[in-house]
Short mmCIF file of all heavy atoms in Angstrom, two decimals:
data_model
loop_
_atom_site.label_atom_id
_atom_site.label_comp_id
_atom_site.label_asym_id
_atom_site.label_seq_id
_atom_site.Cartn_x
_atom_site.Cartn_y
_atom_site.Cartn_z
N GLN A 138 5.53 -116.97 41.52
CA GLN A 138 4.12 -117.19 41.83
C GLN A 138 3.42 -117.93 40.70
O GLN A 138 2.62 -118.86 40.94
CB GLN A 138 3.42 -115.84 42.07
CG GLN A 138 3.73 -115.20 43.40
CD GLN A 138 2.86 -113.97 43.67
OE1 GLN A 138 1.90 -113.70 42.95
NE2 GLN A 138 3.19 -113.24 44.72
N ARG A 139 3.70 -117.55 39.45
CA ARG A 139 3.05 -118.21 38.32
C ARG A 139 3.43 -119.69 38.25
O ARG A 139 2.56 -120.55 38.05
CB ARG A 139 3.46 -117.53 37.01
CG ARG A 139 2.70 -118.05 35.79
CD ARG A 139 3.25 -117.50 34.51
NE ARG A 139 4.60 -118.01 34.24
CZ ARG A 139 5.28 -117.79 33.11
NH1 ARG A 139 4.75 -117.05 32.16
NH2 ARG A 139 6.49 -118.29 32.95
N THR A 140 4.70 -119.98 38.46
CA THR A 140 5.16 -121.37 38.41
C THR A 140 4.54 -122.20 39.53
O THR A 140 4.14 -123.35 39.32
CB THR A 140 6.70 -121.43 38.50
OG1 THR A 140 7.25 -120.69 37.41
CG2 THR A 140 7.20 -122.86 38.44
N MET A 141 4.43 -121.62 40.71
CA MET A 141 3.83 -122.33 41.84
C MET A 141 2.36 -122.63 41.56
O MET A 141 1.88 -123.73 41.88
CB MET A 141 4.00 -121.51 43.12
CG MET A 141 5.43 -121.43 43.62
SD MET A 141 5.68 -120.20 44.94
CE MET A 141 4.67 -120.89 46.25
N ARG A 142 1.66 -121.67 40.96
CA ARG A 142 0.24 -121.91 40.63
C ARG A 142 0.09 -122.99 39.58
O ARG A 142 -0.79 -123.86 39.66
CB ARG A 142 -0.40 -120.61 40.12
CG ARG A 142 -0.69 -119.58 41.17
CD ARG A 142 -1.67 -118.52 40.66
NE ARG A 142 -1.20 -117.90 39.43
CZ ARG A 142 -0.44 -116.82 39.37
NH1 ARG A 142 -0.03 -116.23 40.50
NH2 ARG A 142 -0.07 -116.30 38.21
N GLN A 143 0.95 -122.95 38.56
CA GLN A 143 0.82 -123.88 37.44
C GLN A 143 1.24 -125.31 37.81
O GLN A 143 0.68 -126.27 37.28
CB GLN A 143 1.65 -123.38 36.26
CG GLN A 143 1.11 -122.12 35.61
CD GLN A 143 2.01 -121.61 34.48
OE1 GLN A 143 3.16 -122.02 34.36
NE2 GLN A 143 1.47 -120.74 33.65
N THR A 144 2.23 -125.44 38.68
CA THR A 144 2.76 -126.76 39.00
C THR A 144 2.25 -127.33 40.32
O THR A 144 2.38 -128.54 40.56
CB THR A 144 4.30 -126.71 39.06
OG1 THR A 144 4.71 -125.84 40.14
CG2 THR A 144 4.88 -126.20 37.74
N GLY A 145 1.71 -126.45 41.17
CA GLY A 145 1.26 -126.90 42.48
C GLY A 145 2.40 -127.15 43.45
O GLY A 145 2.19 -127.72 44.53
N ARG A 146 3.61 -126.74 43.09
CA ARG A 146 4.77 -126.94 43.97
C ARG A 146 4.89 -125.81 44.99
O ARG A 146 4.46 -124.69 44.74
CB ARG A 146 6.06 -126.99 43.14
CG ARG A 146 6.18 -128.21 42.25
CD ARG A 146 7.47 -128.12 41.44
NE ARG A 146 7.72 -129.32 40.67
CZ ARG A 146 8.74 -129.48 39.84
NH1 ARG A 146 9.61 -128.48 39.66
NH2 ARG A 146 8.90 -130.62 39.18
N ARG A 147 5.50 -126.15 46.13
CA ARG A 147 5.85 -125.12 47.09
C ARG A 147 7.10 -124.38 46.61
O ARG A 147 7.83 -124.86 45.75
CB ARG A 147 6.13 -125.73 48.47
CG ARG A 147 4.97 -126.47 49.10
CD ARG A 147 5.28 -126.76 50.57
NE ARG A 147 6.61 -127.34 50.74
CZ ARG A 147 6.87 -128.64 50.70
NH1 ARG A 147 5.88 -129.52 50.47
NH2 ARG A 147 8.10 -129.09 50.88
N ARG A 148 7.37 -123.25 47.22
CA ARG A 148 8.52 -122.44 46.83
C ARG A 148 9.83 -123.22 46.98
O ARG A 148 10.72 -123.14 46.13
CB ARG A 148 8.56 -121.17 47.70
CG ARG A 148 9.55 -120.11 47.21
CD ARG A 148 9.56 -118.93 48.16
NE ARG A 148 10.30 -117.82 47.61
CZ ARG A 148 9.78 -116.79 46.98
NH1 ARG A 148 8.47 -116.70 46.81
NH2 ARG A 148 10.55 -115.81 46.50
N ASP A 149 9.94 -123.98 48.07
CA ASP A 149 11.19 -124.71 48.30
C ASP A 149 11.32 -125.97 47.44
O ASP A 149 12.31 -126.70 47.54
CB ASP A 149 11.35 -125.08 49.79
CG ASP A 149 10.22 -125.95 50.31
OD1 ASP A 149 9.34 -126.33 49.50
OD2 ASP A 149 10.21 -126.25 51.52
N GLN A 150 10.32 -126.21 46.60
CA GLN A 150 10.38 -127.35 45.68
C GLN A 150 10.73 -126.94 44.25
O GLN A 150 10.85 -127.79 43.37
CB GLN A 150 9.03 -128.08 45.67
CG GLN A 150 8.68 -128.74 47.01
CD GLN A 150 7.29 -129.36 47.00
OE1 GLN A 150 6.36 -128.83 46.37
NE2 GLN A 150 7.14 -130.48 47.69
N LEU A 151 10.89 -125.65 44.02
CA LEU A 151 11.22 -125.19 42.67
C LEU A 151 12.63 -125.61 42.30
O LEU A 151 13.56 -125.50 43.12
CB LEU A 151 11.09 -123.66 42.58
CG LEU A 151 9.69 -123.08 42.81
CD1 LEU A 151 9.73 -121.56 42.67
CD2 LEU A 151 8.69 -123.68 41.83
N PRO A 152 12.85 -126.08 41.07
CA PRO A 152 14.19 -126.50 40.64
C PRO A 152 15.19 -125.34 40.67
O PRO A 152 14.83 -124.18 40.39
CB PRO A 152 13.96 -126.98 39.20
CG PRO A 152 12.49 -127.23 39.09
CD PRO A 152 11.83 -126.28 40.02
N SER A 153 16.43 -125.65 41.00
CA SER A 153 17.47 -124.62 41.07
C SER A 153 17.66 -123.91 39.73
O SER A 153 17.93 -122.71 39.69
CB SER A 153 18.80 -125.26 41.51
OG SER A 153 18.68 -125.83 42.79
N GLY A 154 17.51 -124.66 38.65
CA GLY A 154 17.66 -124.06 37.33
C GLY A 154 16.65 -122.96 37.09
O GLY A 154 16.97 -121.91 36.50
N LEU A 155 15.40 -123.18 37.54
CA LEU A 155 14.36 -122.16 37.37
C LEU A 155 14.65 -120.95 38.25
O LEU A 155 14.45 -119.81 37.83
CB LEU A 155 12.99 -122.73 37.74
CG LEU A 155 12.21 -123.45 36.63
CD1 LEU A 155 10.82 -123.82 37.15
CD2 LEU A 155 12.08 -122.57 35.39
N VAL A 156 15.13 -121.18 39.47
CA VAL A 156 15.48 -120.07 40.36
C VAL A 156 16.55 -119.20 39.71
O VAL A 156 16.46 -117.97 39.71
CB VAL A 156 15.96 -120.60 41.73
CG1 VAL A 156 16.50 -119.46 42.59
CG2 VAL A 156 14.83 -121.31 42.46
N CYS A 157 17.57 -119.84 39.13
CA CYS A 157 18.62 -119.10 38.45
C CYS A 157 18.08 -118.33 37.24
O CYS A 157 18.43 -117.17 37.02
CB CYS A 157 19.74 -120.04 38.00
SG CYS A 157 20.74 -120.70 39.34
N LEU A 158 17.23 -118.98 36.47
CA LEU A 158 16.64 -118.34 35.29
C LEU A 158 15.80 -117.14 35.68
O LEU A 158 15.91 -116.07 35.06
CB LEU A 158 15.78 -119.36 34.54
CG LEU A 158 15.11 -118.85 33.24
CD1 LEU A 158 16.17 -118.46 32.21
CD2 LEU A 158 14.18 -119.92 32.67
N TYR A 159 14.99 -117.27 36.72
CA TYR A 159 14.14 -116.17 37.15
C TYR A 159 14.99 -115.05 37.77
O TYR A 159 14.65 -113.87 37.65
CB TYR A 159 13.10 -116.66 38.16
CG TYR A 159 12.08 -117.62 37.58
CD1 TYR A 159 11.25 -118.38 38.40
CD2 TYR A 159 11.96 -117.78 36.20
CE1 TYR A 159 10.32 -119.26 37.88
CE2 TYR A 159 11.03 -118.67 35.66
CZ TYR A 159 10.23 -119.41 36.51
OH TYR A 159 9.31 -120.29 35.97
N GLY A 160 16.07 -115.42 38.44
CA GLY A 160 16.98 -114.41 38.98
C GLY A 160 17.63 -113.60 37.87
O GLY A 160 17.75 -112.36 37.96
N ALA A 161 18.02 -114.28 36.80
CA ALA A 161 18.60 -113.59 35.65
C ALA A 161 17.58 -112.65 35.02
O ALA A 161 17.89 -111.50 34.66
CB ALA A 161 19.09 -114.61 34.62
N ALA A 162 16.33 -113.12 34.89
CA ALA A 162 15.27 -112.28 34.33
C ALA A 162 15.04 -111.05 35.19
O ALA A 162 14.80 -109.94 34.67
CB ALA A 162 13.98 -113.09 34.23
N ALA A 163 15.11 -111.20 36.51
CA ALA A 163 14.95 -110.07 37.41
C ALA A 163 16.06 -109.04 37.19
O ALA A 163 15.81 -107.83 37.20
CB ALA A 163 14.96 -110.55 38.86
N GLY A 164 17.28 -109.54 36.98
CA GLY A 164 18.39 -108.63 36.72
C GLY A 164 18.18 -107.82 35.46
O GLY A 164 18.42 -106.60 35.42
N PHE A 165 17.71 -108.48 34.40
CA PHE A 165 17.43 -107.77 33.15
C PHE A 165 16.31 -106.75 33.34
O PHE A 165 16.38 -105.63 32.81
CB PHE A 165 17.05 -108.76 32.04
CG PHE A 165 18.20 -109.58 31.55
CD1 PHE A 165 18.10 -110.96 31.47
CD2 PHE A 165 19.39 -108.99 31.17
CE1 PHE A 165 19.17 -111.74 31.03
CE2 PHE A 165 20.47 -109.75 30.72
CZ PHE A 165 20.35 -111.13 30.65
N ALA A 166 15.27 -107.12 34.08
CA ALA A 166 14.16 -106.20 34.32
C ALA A 166 14.62 -104.95 35.05
O ALA A 166 14.19 -103.82 34.75
CB ALA A 166 13.06 -106.90 35.12
N MET A 167 15.53 -105.13 36.00
CA MET A 167 16.04 -103.99 36.75
C MET A 167 16.87 -103.06 35.88
O MET A 167 16.62 -101.85 35.81
CB MET A 167 16.89 -104.48 37.93
CG MET A 167 17.55 -103.35 38.71
SD MET A 167 18.57 -103.98 40.07
CE MET A 167 19.11 -102.43 40.79
N TRP A 168 17.84 -103.62 35.18
CA TRP A 168 18.80 -102.76 34.47
C TRP A 168 18.24 -102.16 33.20
O TRP A 168 18.60 -101.04 32.82
CB TRP A 168 20.08 -103.54 34.21
CG TRP A 168 20.86 -103.74 35.47
CD1 TRP A 168 21.07 -104.92 36.13
CD2 TRP A 168 21.47 -102.72 36.26
NE1 TRP A 168 21.78 -104.69 37.28
CE2 TRP A 168 22.04 -103.36 37.39
CE3 TRP A 168 21.59 -101.34 36.13
CZ2 TRP A 168 22.73 -102.64 38.37
CZ3 TRP A 168 22.27 -100.63 37.11
CH2 TRP A 168 22.83 -101.28 38.22
N LEU A 169 17.36 -102.85 32.51
CA LEU A 169 16.79 -102.30 31.29
C LEU A 169 15.88 -101.11 31.58
O LEU A 169 15.65 -100.27 30.71
CB LEU A 169 16.02 -103.38 30.53
CG LEU A 169 16.89 -104.44 29.84
CD1 LEU A 169 16.03 -105.57 29.27
CD2 LEU A 169 17.74 -103.82 28.73
N THR A 170 15.36 -101.03 32.81
CA THR A 170 14.49 -99.91 33.17
C THR A 170 15.19 -98.84 34.00
O THR A 170 14.63 -97.76 34.20
CB THR A 170 13.26 -100.41 33.95
OG1 THR A 170 13.71 -101.11 35.13
CG2 THR A 170 12.42 -101.35 33.10
N SER A 171 16.40 -99.12 34.49
CA SER A 171 17.06 -98.19 35.41
C SER A 171 18.45 -97.76 34.98
O SER A 171 19.11 -97.00 35.70
CB SER A 171 17.14 -98.83 36.81
OG SER A 171 15.87 -99.16 37.29
N TYR A 172 18.91 -98.23 33.83
CA TYR A 172 20.29 -97.96 33.47
C TYR A 172 20.62 -96.47 33.31
O TYR A 172 21.67 -96.02 33.77
CB TYR A 172 20.69 -98.73 32.20
CG TYR A 172 22.19 -98.76 32.04
CD1 TYR A 172 22.96 -99.65 32.76
CD2 TYR A 172 22.84 -97.86 31.19
CE1 TYR A 172 24.33 -99.67 32.65
CE2 TYR A 172 24.22 -97.87 31.08
CZ TYR A 172 24.96 -98.77 31.81
OH TYR A 172 26.32 -98.77 31.71
#
């Protein structure tokens, strides 16, 4: 959501690299709080 607001891009226009980076961040957020 933050990237879409800042860049004005639609969700399907986000670069694959950013999707992967945000997915990795989501994984860390999950496991660091639930391990």
Side-chain angles (χ1 to χ4, degrees):
Q138 285 188 10
R139 187 188 67 173
T140 301
M141 290 168 65
R142 285 196 305 270
Q143 291 177 344
T144 63
R146 292 178 174 177
R147 299 192 312 271
R148 191 183 190 97
D149 60 3
Q150 294 175 325
L151 297 181
S153 298
L155 273 185
V156 172
C157 289
L158 182 63
Y159 294 166
F165 288 129
M167 176 181 182
W168 288 111
L169 287 172
T170 58
S171 302
Y172 195 79

